[in-house]
Amino acid sequence: MMTTKKVEIVVSPKPAHFVGDGFRVHNFIPGVSRLDMKRMDPFIMLDYNSKFHFNGSEKPRGVGVHPHRGFETVTIAYQGKVEHHDSSGGGGVIGEGDVQWMTAARGVLHKEYHEREWSKTGGIFQMVQLWVNLPAKDKMSKPKYQAIKNSDMKLVDLGENGVIEVIAGEYNGNKGPAFTFTPVHMMNAKLKTGGKATFQFPANYNTAALVIEGNVTVNGNEKAATDQLILFENAGEEFIIEASENAIVLIISGEPINEPIFPHGPFVMNTREEIMQAFEDFNTGKFGYLED
Ligand code: MN
């Protein structure tokens, strides 16, 4: 018998800050309210570029070459276009509705920019970047890159309620295309006015929902508006989201890895020694080479 997964807290975005000159983000994980890396494990970072207008620029805005080790970066584009290149040869352009899933694992250098042509005209930009942690046994595995076009996602038609776009994991048995190292569910609920959808995840999974567009009511009583994040309790399995107006909600739910988390800047390992090693490997060129 399923019990209700209640809302623990609805979190409003902190003031935005710039990452490089191309991403104006509200950071939700780690650091807002009780959302530290452990609380949402395996989701150890969530930056949200809420709708923001960038003027046209001949030189694409973004973040220059930087390293990562020990986790995956997942970028979900809602508006605008992003280009990515990494030292393992991964790269590509994602546009509205697409996702790039980069497994940094033992280490890559990468750069993230507005796509060149999009940058020239500029426009409204809206994007989410998540960092998904890797278990110790996979942290030093081979880097990998998954380009997930919107058309690759599993579309679950809920009739007059709307649709669910499954990126990873599953919705009612409908599996998304992303390969994940640990159990992770990630999906966009695109609900029409008055539309609703029910979600079921194991009680212990860390679960949250980010309202990308519109206004919603959760479990019939908790309200959340655009740009707010809904954190669910680690009890109960089932919740229902109803859209008061056309809404897009990003749902994330994952099994906690439950290993020590030792972060430092762009590296997330299990111990201090492994972080020291990451710096040494980075400084001695073991992350490869990427042109600026
Ligand atoms: Mn990065």
Side-chain angles (χ1 to χ4, degrees), residues 206-244:
N206 288 324
T207 304
L210 179 64
V211 184
I212 302 293
E213 191 85 62
N215 286 287
V216 299
T217 304
V218 186
N219 295 331
N221 53 15
E222 297 272 357
K223 296 200 181 300
T226 311
D227 301 342
Q228 286 187 316
L229 184 129
I230 303 152
L231 175 67
F232 290 92
E233 289 182 356
N234 290 107
E237 297 86 15
E238 185 174 274
F239 60 89
I240 181 160
I241 296 185
E242 184 168 359
S244 325

PDB file of all heavy atoms in Angstrom, residues 206-244:
ATOM      1  N   ASN A 206      16.136  10.227  -2.481  1.00  0.00           N
ATOM      2  CA  ASN A 206      16.093  11.678  -2.332  1.00  0.00           C
ATOM      3  C   ASN A 206      15.394  12.252  -3.557  1.00  0.00           C
ATOM      4  O   ASN A 206      15.789  11.983  -4.694  1.00  0.00           O
ATOM      5  CB  ASN A 206      17.509  12.229  -2.169  1.00  0.00           C
ATOM      6  CG  ASN A 206      18.084  11.870  -0.812  1.00  0.00           C
ATOM      7  OD1 ASN A 206      17.354  11.835   0.195  1.00  0.00           O
ATOM      8  ND2 ASN A 206      19.375  11.592  -0.755  1.00  0.00           N
ATOM      9  N   THR A 207      14.357  13.039  -3.303  1.00  0.00           N
ATOM     10  CA  THR A 207      13.436  13.444  -4.364  1.00  0.00           C
ATOM     11  C   THR A 207      13.115  14.926  -4.276  1.00  0.00           C
ATOM     12  O   THR A 207      12.850  15.455  -3.189  1.00  0.00           O
ATOM     13  CB  THR A 207      12.128  12.622  -4.246  1.00  0.00           C
ATOM     14  OG1 THR A 207      12.445  11.229  -4.293  1.00  0.00           O
ATOM     15  CG2 THR A 207      11.142  12.956  -5.358  1.00  0.00           C
ATOM     16  N   ALA A 208      13.162  15.588  -5.426  1.00  0.00           N
ATOM     17  CA  ALA A 208      12.815  17.008  -5.489  1.00  0.00           C
ATOM     18  C   ALA A 208      12.197  17.318  -6.843  1.00  0.00           C
ATOM     19  O   ALA A 208      12.280  16.516  -7.782  1.00  0.00           O
ATOM     20  CB  ALA A 208      14.060  17.874  -5.258  1.00  0.00           C
ATOM     21  N   ALA A 209      11.567  18.477  -6.930  1.00  0.00           N
ATOM     22  CA  ALA A 209      10.953  18.918  -8.183  1.00  0.00           C
ATOM     23  C   ALA A 209      11.210  20.410  -8.320  1.00  0.00           C
ATOM     24  O   ALA A 209      11.055  21.172  -7.366  1.00  0.00           O
ATOM     25  CB  ALA A 209       9.455  18.627  -8.160  1.00  0.00           C
ATOM     26  N   LEU A 210      11.633  20.827  -9.511  1.00  0.00           N
ATOM     27  CA  LEU A 210      11.902  22.243  -9.770  1.00  0.00           C
ATOM     28  C   LEU A 210      10.853  22.747 -10.757  1.00  0.00           C
ATOM     29  O   LEU A 210      10.679  22.160 -11.830  1.00  0.00           O
ATOM     30  CB  LEU A 210      13.310  22.400 -10.353  1.00  0.00           C
ATOM     31  CG  LEU A 210      13.767  23.817 -10.703  1.00  0.00           C
ATOM     32  CD1 LEU A 210      13.853  24.706  -9.458  1.00  0.00           C
ATOM     33  CD2 LEU A 210      15.114  23.794 -11.420  1.00  0.00           C
ATOM     34  N   VAL A 211      10.173  23.818 -10.370  1.00  0.00           N
ATOM     35  CA  VAL A 211       9.123  24.354 -11.244  1.00  0.00           C
ATOM     36  C   VAL A 211       9.771  25.295 -12.270  1.00  0.00           C
ATOM     37  O   VAL A 211      10.242  26.374 -11.921  1.00  0.00           O
ATOM     38  CB  VAL A 211       8.036  25.100 -10.446  1.00  0.00           C
ATOM     39  CG1 VAL A 211       6.914  25.556 -11.382  1.00  0.00           C
ATOM     40  CG2 VAL A 211       7.486  24.219  -9.326  1.00  0.00           C
ATOM     41  N   ILE A 212       9.819  24.832 -13.499  1.00  0.00           N
ATOM     42  CA  ILE A 212      10.475  25.561 -14.588  1.00  0.00           C
ATOM     43  C   ILE A 212       9.519  26.601 -15.173  1.00  0.00           C
ATOM     44  O   ILE A 212       9.922  27.670 -15.625  1.00  0.00           O
ATOM     45  CB  ILE A 212      10.896  24.548 -15.692  1.00  0.00           C
ATOM     46  CG1 ILE A 212      11.837  23.472 -15.131  1.00  0.00           C
ATOM     47  CG2 ILE A 212      11.474  25.241 -16.914  1.00  0.00           C
ATOM     48  CD1 ILE A 212      13.192  23.967 -14.707  1.00  0.00           C
ATOM     49  N   GLU A 213       8.251  26.256 -15.167  1.00  0.00           N
ATOM     50  CA  GLU A 213       7.234  27.081 -15.816  1.00  0.00           C
ATOM     51  C   GLU A 213       5.906  26.856 -15.095  1.00  0.00           C
ATOM     52  O   GLU A 213       5.602  25.738 -14.722  1.00  0.00           O
ATOM     53  CB  GLU A 213       7.118  26.575 -17.266  1.00  0.00           C
ATOM     54  CG  GLU A 213       6.322  27.440 -18.206  1.00  0.00           C
ATOM     55  CD  GLU A 213       7.179  28.549 -18.796  1.00  0.00           C
ATOM     56  OE1 GLU A 213       8.144  28.268 -19.494  1.00  0.00           O
ATOM     57  OE2 GLU A 213       6.855  29.712 -18.495  1.00  0.00           O
ATOM     58  N   GLY A 214       5.145  27.922 -14.874  1.00  0.00           N
ATOM     59  CA  GLY A 214       3.788  27.773 -14.347  1.00  0.00           C
ATOM     60  C   GLY A 214       3.717  27.654 -12.833  1.00  0.00           C
ATOM     61  O   GLY A 214       4.690  27.896 -12.112  1.00  0.00           O
ATOM     62  N   ASN A 215       2.543  27.303 -12.378  1.00  0.00           N
ATOM     63  CA  ASN A 215       2.261  27.145 -10.942  1.00  0.00           C
ATOM     64  C   ASN A 215       1.647  25.782 -10.710  1.00  0.00           C
ATOM     65  O   ASN A 215       0.846  25.323 -11.513  1.00  0.00           O
ATOM     66  CB  ASN A 215       1.261  28.210 -10.481  1.00  0.00           C
ATOM     67  CG  ASN A 215       1.902  29.572 -10.391  1.00  0.00           C
ATOM     68  OD1 ASN A 215       2.681  29.843  -9.488  1.00  0.00           O
ATOM     69  ND2 ASN A 215       1.604  30.427 -11.352  1.00  0.00           N
ATOM     70  N   VAL A 216       2.040  25.145  -9.609  1.00  0.00           N
ATOM     71  CA  VAL A 216       1.523  23.805  -9.344  1.00  0.00           C
ATOM     72  C   VAL A 216       1.059  23.659  -7.899  1.00  0.00           C
ATOM     73  O   VAL A 216       1.446  24.441  -7.022  1.00  0.00           O
ATOM     74  CB  VAL A 216       2.592  22.708  -9.639  1.00  0.00           C
ATOM     75  CG1 VAL A 216       3.017  22.739 -11.097  1.00  0.00           C
ATOM     76  CG2 VAL A 216       3.807  22.859  -8.723  1.00  0.00           C
ATOM     77  N   THR A 217       0.233  22.647  -7.691  1.00  0.00           N
ATOM     78  CA  THR A 217      -0.177  22.253  -6.344  1.00  0.00           C
ATOM     79  C   THR A 217       0.268  20.808  -6.155  1.00  0.00           C
ATOM     80  O   THR A 217       0.059  19.972  -7.041  1.00  0.00           O
ATOM     81  CB  THR A 217      -1.698  22.364  -6.179  1.00  0.00           C
ATOM     82  OG1 THR A 217      -2.085  23.701  -6.492  1.00  0.00           O
ATOM     83  CG2 THR A 217      -2.135  22.043  -4.755  1.00  0.00           C
ATOM     84  N   VAL A 218       0.910  20.523  -5.019  1.00  0.00           N
ATOM     85  CA  VAL A 218       1.398  19.172  -4.747  1.00  0.00           C
ATOM     86  C   VAL A 218       0.538  18.534  -3.670  1.00  0.00           C
ATOM     87  O   VAL A 218       0.250  19.164  -2.639  1.00  0.00           O
ATOM     88  CB  VAL A 218       2.871  19.203  -4.293  1.00  0.00           C
ATOM     89  CG1 VAL A 218       3.422  17.793  -4.150  1.00  0.00           C
ATOM     90  CG2 VAL A 218       3.722  19.998  -5.279  1.00  0.00           C
ATOM     91  N   ASN A 219       0.140  17.313  -3.916  1.00  0.00           N
ATOM     92  CA  ASN A 219      -0.682  16.538  -2.963  1.00  0.00           C
ATOM     93  C   ASN A 219      -1.934  17.307  -2.531  1.00  0.00           C
ATOM     94  O   ASN A 219      -2.397  17.165  -1.400  1.00  0.00           O
ATOM     95  CB  ASN A 219       0.151  16.140  -1.737  1.00  0.00           C
ATOM     96  CG  ASN A 219       1.268  15.176  -2.108  1.00  0.00           C
ATOM     97  OD1 ASN A 219       1.146  14.407  -3.067  1.00  0.00           O
ATOM     98  ND2 ASN A 219       2.360  15.218  -1.364  1.00  0.00           N
ATOM     99  N   GLY A 220      -2.423  18.152  -3.416  1.00  0.00           N
ATOM    100  CA  GLY A 220      -3.696  18.834  -3.172  1.00  0.00           C
ATOM    101  C   GLY A 220      -3.634  20.036  -2.246  1.00  0.00           C
ATOM    102  O   GLY A 220      -4.615  20.749  -2.086  1.00  0.00           O
ATOM    103  N   ASN A 221      -2.457  20.285  -1.605  1.00  0.00           N
ATOM    104  CA  ASN A 221      -2.440  21.411  -0.670  1.00  0.00           C
ATOM    105  C   ASN A 221      -1.211  22.314  -0.710  1.00  0.00           C
ATOM    106  O   ASN A 221      -1.293  23.485  -0.395  1.00  0.00           O
ATOM    107  CB  ASN A 221      -2.659  20.907   0.770  1.00  0.00           C
ATOM    108  CG  ASN A 221      -1.675  19.796   1.133  1.00  0.00           C
ATOM    109  OD1 ASN A 221      -0.681  19.591   0.450  1.00  0.00           O
ATOM    110  ND2 ASN A 221      -1.968  19.066   2.185  1.00  0.00           N
ATOM    111  N   GLU A 222      -0.048  21.785  -1.127  1.00  0.00           N
ATOM    112  CA  GLU A 222       1.165  22.604  -1.102  1.00  0.00           C
ATOM    113  C   GLU A 222       1.339  23.296  -2.463  1.00  0.00           C
ATOM    114  O   GLU A 222       1.397  22.629  -3.486  1.00  0.00           O
ATOM    115  CB  GLU A 222       2.398  21.731  -0.843  1.00  0.00           C
ATOM    116  CG  GLU A 222       2.390  21.051   0.502  1.00  0.00           C
ATOM    117  CD  GLU A 222       3.007  21.917   1.597  1.00  0.00           C
ATOM    118  OE1 GLU A 222       3.492  23.028   1.275  1.00  0.00           O
ATOM    119  OE2 GLU A 222       3.000  21.466   2.748  1.00  0.00           O
ATOM    120  N   LYS A 223       1.486  24.609  -2.431  1.00  0.00           N
ATOM    121  CA  LYS A 223       1.631  25.340  -3.692  1.00  0.00           C
ATOM    122  C   LYS A 223       3.093  25.691  -3.953  1.00  0.00           C
ATOM    123  O   LYS A 223       3.844  25.991  -3.039  1.00  0.00           O
ATOM    124  CB  LYS A 223       0.793  26.611  -3.650  1.00  0.00           C
ATOM    125  CG  LYS A 223      -0.700  26.303  -3.550  1.00  0.00           C
ATOM    126  CD  LYS A 223      -1.553  27.467  -3.974  1.00  0.00           C
ATOM    127  CE  LYS A 223      -3.046  27.160  -3.841  1.00  0.00           C
ATOM    128  NZ  LYS A 223      -3.471  26.005  -4.662  1.00  0.00           N
ATOM    129  N   ALA A 224       3.465  25.653  -5.235  1.00  0.00           N
ATOM    130  CA  ALA A 224       4.805  26.081  -5.640  1.00  0.00           C
ATOM    131  C   ALA A 224       4.699  26.826  -6.961  1.00  0.00           C
ATOM    132  O   ALA A 224       3.901  26.473  -7.824  1.00  0.00           O
ATOM    133  CB  ALA A 224       5.741  24.882  -5.767  1.00  0.00           C
ATOM    134  N   ALA A 225       5.515  27.881  -7.080  1.00  0.00           N
ATOM    135  CA  ALA A 225       5.470  28.745  -8.257  1.00  0.00           C
ATOM    136  C   ALA A 225       6.745  28.589  -9.088  1.00  0.00           C
ATOM    137  O   ALA A 225       7.703  27.928  -8.658  1.00  0.00           O
ATOM    138  CB  ALA A 225       5.314  30.193  -7.804  1.00  0.00           C
ATOM    139  N   THR A 226       6.749  29.206 -10.251  1.00  0.00           N
ATOM    140  CA  THR A 226       7.914  29.192 -11.148  1.00  0.00           C
ATOM    141  C   THR A 226       9.195  29.483 -10.374  1.00  0.00           C
ATOM    142  O   THR A 226       9.236  30.397  -9.554  1.00  0.00           O
ATOM    143  CB  THR A 226       7.749  30.281 -12.242  1.00  0.00           C
ATOM    144  OG1 THR A 226       6.456  30.158 -12.796  1.00  0.00           O
ATOM    145  CG2 THR A 226       8.790  30.118 -13.339  1.00  0.00           C
ATOM    146  N   ASP A 227      10.225  28.720 -10.638  1.00  0.00           N
ATOM    147  CA  ASP A 227      11.574  28.874 -10.074  1.00  0.00           C
ATOM    148  C   ASP A 227      11.692  28.396  -8.624  1.00  0.00           C
ATOM    149  O   ASP A 227      12.760  28.546  -8.020  1.00  0.00           O
ATOM    150  CB  ASP A 227      12.082  30.328 -10.163  1.00  0.00           C
ATOM    151  CG  ASP A 227      12.147  30.843 -11.594  1.00  0.00           C
ATOM    152  OD1 ASP A 227      12.129  30.017 -12.527  1.00  0.00           O
ATOM    153  OD2 ASP A 227      12.215  32.074 -11.777  1.00  0.00           O
ATOM    154  N   GLN A 228      10.641  27.820  -8.072  1.00  0.00           N
ATOM    155  CA  GLN A 228      10.764  27.252  -6.717  1.00  0.00           C
ATOM    156  C   GLN A 228      11.069  25.757  -6.800  1.00  0.00           C
ATOM    157  O   GLN A 228      10.690  25.084  -7.762  1.00  0.00           O
ATOM    158  CB  GLN A 228       9.479  27.472  -5.916  1.00  0.00           C
ATOM    159  CG  GLN A 228       9.315  28.933  -5.471  1.00  0.00           C
ATOM    160  CD  GLN A 228       8.150  29.120  -4.544  1.00  0.00           C
ATOM    161  OE1 GLN A 228       7.065  28.583  -4.784  1.00  0.00           O
ATOM    162  NE2 GLN A 228       8.354  29.898  -3.480  1.00  0.00           N
ATOM    163  N   LEU A 229      11.757  25.280  -5.787  1.00  0.00           N
ATOM    164  CA  LEU A 229      12.111  23.872  -5.714  1.00  0.00           C
ATOM    165  C   LEU A 229      11.350  23.214  -4.564  1.00  0.00           C
ATOM    166  O   LEU A 229      11.296  23.758  -3.462  1.00  0.00           O
ATOM    167  CB  LEU A 229      13.619  23.708  -5.514  1.00  0.00           C
ATOM    168  CG  LEU A 229      14.112  22.268  -5.524  1.00  0.00           C
ATOM    169  CD1 LEU A 229      15.285  22.098  -6.500  1.00  0.00           C
ATOM    170  CD2 LEU A 229      14.551  21.812  -4.144  1.00  0.00           C
ATOM    171  N   ILE A 230      10.775  22.074  -4.871  1.00  0.00           N
ATOM    172  CA  ILE A 230       9.991  21.332  -3.874  1.00  0.00           C
ATOM    173  C   ILE A 230      10.846  20.156  -3.391  1.00  0.00           C
ATOM    174  O   ILE A 230      11.247  19.321  -4.191  1.00  0.00           O
ATOM    175  CB  ILE A 230       8.694  20.786  -4.513  1.00  0.00           C
ATOM    176  CG1 ILE A 230       7.867  21.918  -5.128  1.00  0.00           C
ATOM    177  CG2 ILE A 230       7.897  19.969  -3.510  1.00  0.00           C
ATOM    178  CD1 ILE A 230       6.995  21.486  -6.301  1.00  0.00           C
ATOM    179  N   LEU A 231      11.144  20.128  -2.106  1.00  0.00           N
ATOM    180  CA  LEU A 231      11.900  19.001  -1.533  1.00  0.00           C
ATOM    181  C   LEU A 231      10.909  18.072  -0.836  1.00  0.00           C
ATOM    182  O   LEU A 231      10.079  18.525  -0.049  1.00  0.00           O
ATOM    183  CB  LEU A 231      12.931  19.515  -0.528  1.00  0.00           C
ATOM    184  CG  LEU A 231      13.710  18.442   0.240  1.00  0.00           C
ATOM    185  CD1 LEU A 231      14.625  17.639  -0.685  1.00  0.00           C
ATOM    186  CD2 LEU A 231      14.518  19.081   1.371  1.00  0.00           C
ATOM    187  N   PHE A 232      11.009  16.782  -1.141  1.00  0.00           N
ATOM    188  CA  PHE A 232      10.087  15.810  -0.547  1.00  0.00           C
ATOM    189  C   PHE A 232      10.719  15.099   0.643  1.00  0.00           C
ATOM    190  O   PHE A 232      11.944  14.948   0.720  1.00  0.00           O
ATOM    191  CB  PHE A 232       9.657  14.773  -1.597  1.00  0.00           C
ATOM    192  CG  PHE A 232       8.749  15.349  -2.649  1.00  0.00           C
ATOM    193  CD1 PHE A 232       9.268  15.869  -3.824  1.00  0.00           C
ATOM    194  CD2 PHE A 232       7.377  15.408  -2.448  1.00  0.00           C
ATOM    195  CE1 PHE A 232       8.436  16.429  -4.794  1.00  0.00           C
ATOM    196  CE2 PHE A 232       6.537  15.969  -3.407  1.00  0.00           C
ATOM    197  CZ  PHE A 232       7.069  16.486  -4.590  1.00  0.00           C
ATOM    198  N   GLU A 233       9.869  14.637   1.536  1.00  0.00           N
ATOM    199  CA  GLU A 233      10.330  13.863   2.692  1.00  0.00           C
ATOM    200  C   GLU A 233      10.854  12.496   2.252  1.00  0.00           C
ATOM    201  O   GLU A 233      10.447  11.986   1.212  1.00  0.00           O
ATOM    202  CB  GLU A 233       9.161  13.632   3.671  1.00  0.00           C
ATOM    203  CG  GLU A 233       8.740  14.876   4.402  1.00  0.00           C
ATOM    204  CD  GLU A 233       7.607  14.591   5.407  1.00  0.00           C
ATOM    205  OE1 GLU A 233       7.113  13.442   5.471  1.00  0.00           O
ATOM    206  OE2 GLU A 233       7.232  15.539   6.125  1.00  0.00           O
ATOM    207  N   ASN A 234      11.718  11.903   3.080  1.00  0.00           N
ATOM    208  CA  ASN A 234      12.175  10.541   2.810  1.00  0.00           C
ATOM    209  C   ASN A 234      11.245   9.544   3.503  1.00  0.00           C
ATOM    210  O   ASN A 234      11.672   8.684   4.265  1.00  0.00           O
ATOM    211  CB  ASN A 234      13.613  10.357   3.282  1.00  0.00           C
ATOM    212  CG  ASN A 234      14.588  11.123   2.426  1.00  0.00           C
ATOM    213  OD1 ASN A 234      15.143  12.132   2.837  1.00  0.00           O
ATOM    214  ND2 ASN A 234      14.775  10.674   1.198  1.00  0.00           N
ATOM    215  N   ALA A 235       9.989   9.727   3.228  1.00  0.00           N
ATOM    216  CA  ALA A 235       8.967   8.817   3.762  1.00  0.00           C
ATOM    217  C   ALA A 235       7.826   8.860   2.763  1.00  0.00           C
ATOM    218  O   ALA A 235       7.620   9.875   2.112  1.00  0.00           O
ATOM    219  CB  ALA A 235       8.486   9.290   5.126  1.00  0.00           C
ATOM    220  N   GLY A 236       7.099   7.758   2.646  1.00  0.00           N
ATOM    221  CA  GLY A 236       6.022   7.712   1.660  1.00  0.00           C
ATOM    222  C   GLY A 236       6.597   7.540   0.270  1.00  0.00           C
ATOM    223  O   GLY A 236       7.785   7.783   0.030  1.00  0.00           O
ATOM    224  N   GLU A 237       5.768   7.093  -0.651  1.00  0.00           N
ATOM    225  CA  GLU A 237       6.243   6.749  -2.001  1.00  0.00           C
ATOM    226  C   GLU A 237       5.573   7.530  -3.111  1.00  0.00           C
ATOM    227  O   GLU A 237       6.063   7.562  -4.234  1.00  0.00           O
ATOM    228  CB  GLU A 237       5.989   5.257  -2.289  1.00  0.00           C
ATOM    229  CG  GLU A 237       6.711   4.277  -1.394  1.00  0.00           C
ATOM    230  CD  GLU A 237       5.942   3.982  -0.113  1.00  0.00           C
ATOM    231  OE1 GLU A 237       4.737   4.309  -0.054  1.00  0.00           O
ATOM    232  OE2 GLU A 237       6.553   3.451   0.822  1.00  0.00           O
ATOM    233  N   GLU A 238       4.444   8.137  -2.821  1.00  0.00           N
ATOM    234  CA  GLU A 238       3.644   8.647  -3.941  1.00  0.00           C
ATOM    235  C   GLU A 238       3.249  10.103  -3.738  1.00  0.00           C
ATOM    236  O   GLU A 238       2.851  10.495  -2.647  1.00  0.00           O
ATOM    237  CB  GLU A 238       2.378   7.784  -4.052  1.00  0.00           C
ATOM    238  CG  GLU A 238       1.504   8.111  -5.233  1.00  0.00           C
ATOM    239  CD  GLU A 238       0.353   7.110  -5.349  1.00  0.00           C
ATOM    240  OE1 GLU A 238       0.554   6.051  -5.967  1.00  0.00           O
ATOM    241  OE2 GLU A 238      -0.739   7.385  -4.808  1.00  0.00           O
ATOM    242  N   PHE A 239       3.396  10.905  -4.795  1.00  0.00           N
ATOM    243  CA  PHE A 239       2.895  12.278  -4.728  1.00  0.00           C
ATOM    244  C   PHE A 239       2.223  12.631  -6.037  1.00  0.00           C
ATOM    245  O   PHE A 239       2.418  11.976  -7.059  1.00  0.00           O
ATOM    246  CB  PHE A 239       4.005  13.267  -4.372  1.00  0.00           C
ATOM    247  CG  PHE A 239       5.160  13.335  -5.336  1.00  0.00           C
ATOM    248  CD1 PHE A 239       5.150  14.199  -6.419  1.00  0.00           C
ATOM    249  CD2 PHE A 239       6.280  12.520  -5.145  1.00  0.00           C
ATOM    250  CE1 PHE A 239       6.219  14.265  -7.300  1.00  0.00           C
ATOM    251  CE2 PHE A 239       7.362  12.591  -6.027  1.00  0.00           C
ATOM    252  CZ  PHE A 239       7.330  13.458  -7.106  1.00  0.00           C
ATOM    253  N   ILE A 240       1.415  13.672  -5.972  1.00  0.00           N
ATOM    254  CA  ILE A 240       0.673  14.086  -7.158  1.00  0.00           C
ATOM    255  C   ILE A 240       0.916  15.571  -7.392  1.00  0.00           C
ATOM    256  O   ILE A 240       0.947  16.364  -6.457  1.00  0.00           O
ATOM    257  CB  ILE A 240      -0.829  13.734  -7.000  1.00  0.00           C
ATOM    258  CG1 ILE A 240      -1.624  14.138  -8.231  1.00  0.00           C
ATOM    259  CG2 ILE A 240      -1.441  14.346  -5.762  1.00  0.00           C
ATOM    260  CD1 ILE A 240      -2.947  13.393  -8.319  1.00  0.00           C
ATOM    261  N   ILE A 241       1.157  15.892  -8.654  1.00  0.00           N
ATOM    262  CA  ILE A 241       1.375  17.295  -9.026  1.00  0.00           C
ATOM    263  C   ILE A 241       0.256  17.720  -9.956  1.00  0.00           C
ATOM    264  O   ILE A 241      -0.047  17.031 -10.930  1.00  0.00           O
ATOM    265  CB  ILE A 241       2.746  17.494  -9.708  1.00  0.00           C
ATOM    266  CG1 ILE A 241       3.872  17.155  -8.727  1.00  0.00           C
ATOM    267  CG2 ILE A 241       2.901  18.928 -10.221  1.00  0.00           C
ATOM    268  CD1 ILE A 241       5.269  17.420  -9.248  1.00  0.00           C
ATOM    269  N   GLU A 242      -0.366  18.842  -9.637  1.00  0.00           N
ATOM    270  CA  GLU A 242      -1.455  19.359 -10.459  1.00  0.00           C
ATOM    271  C   GLU A 242      -1.081  20.771 -10.913  1.00  0.00           C
ATOM    272  O   GLU A 242      -0.603  21.590 -10.116  1.00  0.00           O
ATOM    273  CB  GLU A 242      -2.748  19.401  -9.630  1.00  0.00           C
ATOM    274  CG  GLU A 242      -3.951  19.845 -10.430  1.00  0.00           C
ATOM    275  CD  GLU A 242      -5.275  19.607  -9.689  1.00  0.00           C
ATOM    276  OE1 GLU A 242      -5.250  19.080  -8.551  1.00  0.00           O
ATOM    277  OE2 GLU A 242      -6.313  19.957 -10.265  1.00  0.00           O
ATOM    278  N   ALA A 243      -1.293  21.057 -12.193  1.00  0.00           N
ATOM    279  CA  ALA A 243      -0.919  22.357 -12.743  1.00  0.00           C
ATOM    280  C   ALA A 243      -2.092  23.327 -12.680  1.00  0.00           C
ATOM    281  O   ALA A 243      -3.178  23.031 -13.160  1.00  0.00           O
ATOM    282  CB  ALA A 243      -0.463  22.193 -14.187  1.00  0.00           C
ATOM    283  N   SER A 244      -1.863  24.488 -12.052  1.00  0.00           N
ATOM    284  CA  SER A 244      -2.907  25.518 -12.018  1.00  0.00           C
ATOM    285  C   SER A 244      -2.953  26.244 -13.360  1.00  0.00           C
ATOM    286  O   SER A 244      -3.921  26.887 -13.707  1.00  0.00           O
ATOM    287  CB  SER A 244      -2.629  26.539 -10.919  1.00  0.00           C
ATOM    288  OG  SER A 244      -2.033  25.925  -9.816  1.00  0.00           O
TER     289      SER A 244
END
